[in-house]
Amino acid sequence: MRIFRALNLTLNMRKLFSILFISFGGMQINCAQQDSIMFDRIYHESFYNGQAYDNLRYLTKEIGHRIAGSKKADQAVVWSKGLMEGLGLDKVYLQNVEVPYWDRGPKEKAHIVETGEPLNVLALGGSVATPINGLEAEVIEIELLSDLRKYGEQVRGKIVFINKPWDESMVETGVAYGLNAGQRSRGPGEAAKLGAVAFLFRSLSSSAIDDYPHTGGTRYIDGVDRIPAIAISAVSANRLSERLKENPKAKVYLEQHAAWKDNVPTHNVIGEWIGSEFPEKIITIGGHIDSWDVGEGAHDNGTGTMGTLDALRTLKALGYKPRHTIRLVFYMNEENGVHGSMAYGRYAKDKNEQLIAGIESDAGGFAPRGFDIKASASQVEWMQKHWKPLFEQKFWVSRFLSGSPGVDSGVWGEHFPNTTMFNFRPDPHRYFDLHHTDKDVFEAVDRRELQSGVAAIASLLYLVDQQIDELHKK
Amino acid sequence: MRIFRALNLTLNMRKLFSILFISFGGMQINCAQQDSIMFDRIYHESFYNGQAYDNLRYLTKEIGHRIAGSKKADQAVVWSKGLMEGLGLDKVYLQNVEVPYWDRGPKEKAHIVETGEPLNVLALGGSVATPINGLEAEVIEIELLSDLRKYGEQVRGKIVFINKPWDESMVETGVAYGLNAGQRSRGPGEAAKLGAVAFLFRSLSSSAIDDYPHTGGTRYIDGVDRIPAIAISAVSANRLSERLKENPKAKVYLEQHAAWKDNVPTHNVIGEWIGSEFPEKIITIGGHIDSWDVGEGAHDNGTGTMGTLDALRTLKALGYKPRHTIRLVFYMNEENGVHGSMAYGRYAKDKNEQLIAGIESDAGGFAPRGFDIKASASQVEWMQKHWKPLFEQKFWVSRFLSGSPGVDSGVWGEHFPNTTMFNFRPDPHRYFDLHHTDKDVFEAVDRRELQSGVAAIASLLYLVDQQIDELHKK
C-alpha cells in the first residue's frame, strides 16, 4: 500500500499495473490492451515525474536565447550533451557542423521623421547594417511584392514597406504564416534590384494588435546590393500606414548594426539508445537546439528539444527496451541556415545508415493535438485505424493526417525519401503570437500542456518502435 | 478590390465568396460544399469581427465576479439583456428565479498555531462562519472520507483535513475533478456527524504546486451540526501535512465570516431568434451568467456566455435565417444551487415547449476541441461521419463523442429526456489550474482561442438548425 501511495496511483492504475504484472507472468492479453496499458504508464510517468519543464527552465533562464554560432548556442550544446549522458543512453556524441554566425549588434532604432513617433522594429536574420548613423528615406507601402513593379524608378532611394496583414481567419496558423513568409525571404532582393535603400516588413504575427516585432530569416540575391531588412510590429506597421495616408512623403529613420561574422565550428548533439533486435535500423527523433537571438527560444524550440529528450527519459524510466535504435538529435542552426540537419543527412548518407523513421518537434509546446505524417495514404489510414484510437478519447490526441515533416527532418529527408516522418503538432492558436519575439519565454509554457506533449511523443515513439515493420507492410 | 481589402479577404476566400454568390444565383452545389462555405464565412466573421473577447473584457473588468444573489450578478443580468437586445433578436426577456444568497464576508484567515505559518484558504460556498474570533483545534488528516470511521470518537473537537491529491495523470481533467469533488460535497456533513469542529479540504487543483485555494460548492446534512468548510491551497495543504508529520498535535487556527442571507429574486436572461420554418421547435443554447465570488469568472463562465452570444451574432452578421427558434439562455446560479436551470426547465415543461436540442458552453474558453454529445449511438456515429469532417482538418475541432450535457442542460433536461444535447469542450489541460480561484481573470483568456470556439459553436448551431430533422431520423 505504501509504495502505491508513494507513486500516487489511483485504484484504476493499480488494477492496470496488476494486469501488466500478470501478463509478464505469462498470461495472455491482446496487443491493443498492452499498448493501452503502456500508454497509461507513459502518461503517468510524464505528468508525475516529467523533467521537460524543469529542463526548459534551465535552458531558457540560465542559458537563454542561442542563435547558431553564438557562445550561448555552444553552452546549450555542452549542457544538453550532459543531459543526454545523464539519461544513460548507450552513446552520446557531438557531430561537427560549421555554421554562419550573424550578430545583431546594438538594439535597432526606428521612428517616423516628421512626427517623431517610434516604430518597434527588429532586424531580420541575415540583414546587413544600415550606415552607422542610420538612414532616412521616404517609404513605398505595398501589400504584395508583385505590386513593386508598378513603381519602377520611384523605388530608387526609398524604403520598401511590405504591409500585408496576416490572414486571421485560419485556425491552422502555420498556413497563414506560409502565405506571407515568402515575401520576407524574397523582399530584400527584389526591393534592392529596383534601387531601394531598405526593406521594412510587417511582422508575421497572428495578432493584429501585436506591438512586438517578429524576426525571421531572409536572404539576398547574389550580385544585387544588400540592403538592411527589418521587421516592424503589426501595431507600428498600422501606425506608419496611417501616417503615410496623411503624408505620402513622410520619411522613416532606420538604424541597425547587424553583421555577418566568420563561420563558426559547432555541433549537433546526438544520443543513441541501441535497439535490442534491429540495432542498425534507426528512429531519429528530436528538434533544433538553436533559436533566434530574441526572447528565450522557449516554444521555438526549447519545448521541442526538452520534450523529445523527456520522451526518451519516460520510456527509460519505465524499463522499456527499444527494438530499434532510437537516436535523439538536437540539430544546430535550423533558424538561419539548417546546416545542422544538412550535416546530419550527409553523414548518415555517407555511412549508408538505415533511417527508418523520423519524429520532429518544432511547433511549440502547447496542448498536443497529433502528428502530421509523411507516409503512403494506406499507411496513414492504417495508423488512423490502429493508433489513433489509443490516443483519442482518453488523451485528447486525435490528429493523424498526411502532412509535411518538420524543417530539419525535411532537410535530411532529402537523402532518405522513403523514411516515414512524423511532425508533432501542438495546438496552433497561440504559437505565432510569440514566434521569433521577446515574448517567447519560459512563462509562456504550461507544464501540463508540455508534459502531455511529452507523453504523446513517447507513446508515438513506442508505437513506431513496436510496429513500424507491420506499418511498412501496408 | 478596395472592399475586399477592407474585409481582409484572401484570394481563396474571394473565390469561395464568388462560388457562394454564384450559388445564390441559381447554380447547384452540393450540401457538404454549402456547409463548408458557410463554415469559412463563420470562421472569418468570428476571427475578424468577433465581439466575445471585448464583451468578456467588460463582464470581467467592469462588472467582475458575480455570485448569484449579489448586486454584481444583477448588474450582469441587466447588462447582458442589453447585449441581447443589441443583437436585434426577436424577443428578449428576463425569467424570474429565486436564488439563495451566500455572502463570504471579510477575507478568511488561517495559520498553523505552533509555527505561525500562514495557510492560504477560502471558504467553500455555502459554508457557515467560524466563531467571530475564529477557532483553534488539532487536525485529523485523511485522504478518503471513508478513513474517518477509523478515528471514531477522536474526531470530536478536531478539524477534519481531507488531503487527497489530484490525479495528475489524467488529460481529461474533468474526470480527475469528479474523482475528488464528491468528498468536497459530503465532507462537512460526514465530519460534523462525528463531532468535528471544522472541515478543511485540499483544493481541487490540477497543479500540485498551486498556492491558490479553489472554492466550490458543498452541503450539510439536515439535523447535523453545520461546521465551517474551508478549501486550502495545494501548497498550504502540503505544508500543513508536513507539520502534522513532525507534530501530530499541531493546531490550526481558522477564521471566516460567511453567512447565508435571505433568498433573492433574480433572473435568467433569455433572447429568442424565431425560426422561419419551425418557430415552435426550440434549440436552447447558452451557459451560466453567475460565477463564484473570486477572480473575475472569466473562463467560468464569462467565455461561455459571451461565446454563445457571439455565435448568434456571427450567424446574424452573415444574414442567416434560422429554420428553428434559437433561444439563448444565460442561466443564473449554476455555481451554488442551479435554480436558474431548474426554473428554465419547469417553465418550459409547464408550457409544453418543444426543446429539440441543447447546446451548453461551461468548460472554459481555451482552444476548442469538440463536443460531448447526448444522443443515441447511431446519431453520434452519423454526426461523426457527416459533421466531423467539416470541422476536423481545417478547423482542428475533432471531438464528437458520446458524453454528458453540461450541468445546466442536464438539470433542465430532466424534464426533456429526449432532447439532443451538446456540451462544448475546449482544451482541458489548464482549466482546473484557475477554476474557482482568483486566477480566473480576463488575462487568462486568449482572443484567438475564444473566437475559434465561438466559430465552432456557431458552426455546430448552424448544422443543428439545418440538419436536426435528418439527425433525428437516424
Side-chain angles (χ1 to χ4, degrees), chain B residues 41-51 310 313-314 447 450-455:
Chain B
R41 296 179 68 210
I42 287 171
Y43 273 82
H44 191 275
E45 174 63 27
S46 179
F47 279 125
Y48 276 103
N49 305 318
Q51 296 173 7
D310 206 44
R313 187 206 60 76
T314 299
R447 186 183 185 278
L450 178 59
Q451 295 295 157
S452 192
V454 166

Side-chain angles (χ1 to χ4, degrees), chain B residues 152-458:
Chain B
E153 266 306 303
Q154 292 173 56
V155 175
R156 192 160 304 279
K158 306 265 171 61
I159 295 168
V160 166
F161 167 36
I162 296 213
N163 190 22
K164 179 162 184 278
W166 180 274
D167 185 342
E168 293 178 41
S169 70
M170 292 191 173
V171 174
E172 173 64 284
T173 49
V175 172
Y177 182 78
L179 284 176
N180 288 8
Q183 301 204 124
R184 189 182 69 196
S185 305
R186 291 182 289 109
E190 299 291 328
K193 270 203 273 184
L194 292 169
V197 293
F199 175 72
L200 198 54
F201 183 72
R202 184 190 177 95
S203 287
L204 298 180
S205 165
S206 50
S207 165
I209 52 165
D210 185 358
D211 204 10
Y212 285 78
H214 297 229
T215 191
T218 191
R219 54 175 197 263
Y220 295 107
I221 300 173
D222 285 341
V224 174
D225 278 353
R226 300 184 163 213
I227 59 174
I230 298 174
I232 178 170
S233 78
V235 166
S236 289
N238 293 345
R239 184 181 303 137
L240 176 56
S241 184
E242 277 172 37
R243 292 300 166 267
L244 290 170
K245 281 185 189 68
E246 293 160 12
N247 173 15
K249 296 279 179 190
K251 288 184 178 174
V252 161
Y253 174 81
L254 294 173
E255 179 189 331
Q256 59 103 343
H257 306 277
W260 284 98
K261 310 285 183 181
D262 290 340
N263 279 7
V264 174
T266 178
H267 309 278
N268 292 328
V269 189
I270 301 183
E272 291 183 3
W273 191 8
I274 306 298
S276 56
E277 290 181 51
F278 309 105
E280 75 290 357
K281 294 187 177 179
I282 297 162
I283 301 166
T284 303
I285 179 171
H288 68 87
I289 186 74
D290 64 303
S291 76
W292 278 109
D293 58 340
V294 293
E296 295 168 358
H299 278 284
D300 188 12
N301 184 30
T303 52
T305 46
M306 298 304 102
T308 49
L309 183 134
D310 206 44
L312 265 70
R313 187 206 60 76
T314 299
L315 292 179
K316 258 200 157 288
L318 297 174
Y320 186 70
K321 303 287 178 215
R323 301 172 66 220
H324 307 82
T325 290
I326 296 174
R327 180 188 281 165
L328 179 64
V329 184
F330 290 173
Y331 309 94
M332 180 54 73
N333 182 231
E334 188 268 348
E335 295 293 8
N336 58 344
V338 292
H339 287 84
S341 47
M342 287 196 288
Y344 178 70
R346 217 163 43 231
Y347 288 122
K349 185 71 185 170
D350 289 350
K351 284 193 269 183
N352 210 15
E353 289 184 339
Q354 295 182 55
L355 304 189
I356 57 168
I359 302 174
E360 182 165 339
S361 174
D362 181 21
F366 296 102
R369 305 295 299 263
F371 300 89
D372 284 348
I373 307 171
K374 182 178 161 287
S376 71
S378 61
Q379 287 169 342
V380 172
E381 202 178 316
W382 185 82
M383 288 183 267
Q384 285 172 347
K385 186 169 170 198
H386 294 276
W387 291 3
K388 183 173 160 178
L390 289 162
F391 286 95
E392 186 167 25
Q393 180 147 7
K394 192 164 184 182
F395 302 113
W396 292 65
V397 170
S398 57
R399 199 171 174 90
F400 291 80
L401 298 171
S402 285
S404 303
V407 169
D408 285 312
S409 303
V411 166
W412 65 253
E414 285 171 18
H415 297 291
F416 297 88
N418 298 320
T419 305
T420 306
M421 299 280 203
F422 300 87
N423 188 14
F424 175 58
R425 297 302 310 272
D427 192 274
H429 285 85
R430 290 181 289 145
Y431 185 61
F432 287 99
D433 282 355
L434 46 76
H435 183 247
H436 298 180
T437 72
D438 281 335
K439 282 188 285 188
D440 187 8
V441 295
F442 177 72
E443 290 75 6
V445 178
D446 177 77
R447 186 183 185 278
R448 276 190 75 73
E449 291 186 351
L450 178 59
Q451 295 295 157
S452 192
V454 166
I457 292 168

